[in-house]
Amino acid sequence: MRIFFDSDLPAEGLARLAAAMEGLWQGDDLSAELLLVSEEEIRRLNAQGRGVDAVTDVLSFPSMEGIKGAPILADEHGEEIDENGNIFLGSVVICEQRAREQAEEYGHSFERELWYLAVHGLLHCLGYDHMAQEDKREMREKEEYVMKKLSLERDI
């Protein structure tokens, strides 16, 4: 169970992220796309995808629904197999400028904010959400688990 990334983010960070994400799903190997974009691009995507004409920090575009906690198997998701034989989990789009602003606002590094947003977006692609309080708690636990493995915990 590994995850592979198509991204322009640093390869070393992607390898660390892939290792930190291990164990969050059962099943076959996955792939995901991670993109850094401008404020203009994320605003356009937010308006197009969610009907919200505003800049946001991260957007997720999952390729599958109803997969939270269920095994993710190629024979059940054949339409999502990429050119390398991995199941395509989805795309995560991060606004670099918002990540920089939030890092300053929250008093931590850009690196921490960037990887937190990537983890948050990937968890959405794995079916996690934060609309209900119980779901939010569960998602936060997963985020903190991965961020600890990345040695990028929050300073409390």
Side-chain angles (χ1 to χ4, degrees), residues 56-75:
T56 190
D57 54 1
V58 61
L59 291 171
S60 298
F61 299 95
S63 65
M64 299 169 280
E65 293 183 12
I67 62 170
K68 179 181 148 192
I72 306 171
L73 304 171
D75 61 353

Side-chain angles (χ1 to χ4, degrees), residues 38-40 42-43 46 52-57 95 98 101:
S38 67
E39 288 179 312
E40 295 78 21
I42 206 154
R43 182 177 184 166
N46 203 14
V52 179
D53 186 16
V55 173
T56 190
D57 54 1
C95 178
R98 284 296 301 136
E101 291 167 0

Side-chain angles (χ1 to χ4, degrees), residues 28 73-78 81 87:
D28 296 324
L73 304 171
D75 61 353
E76 295 176 9
H77 299 285
I81 304 298
I87 303 169

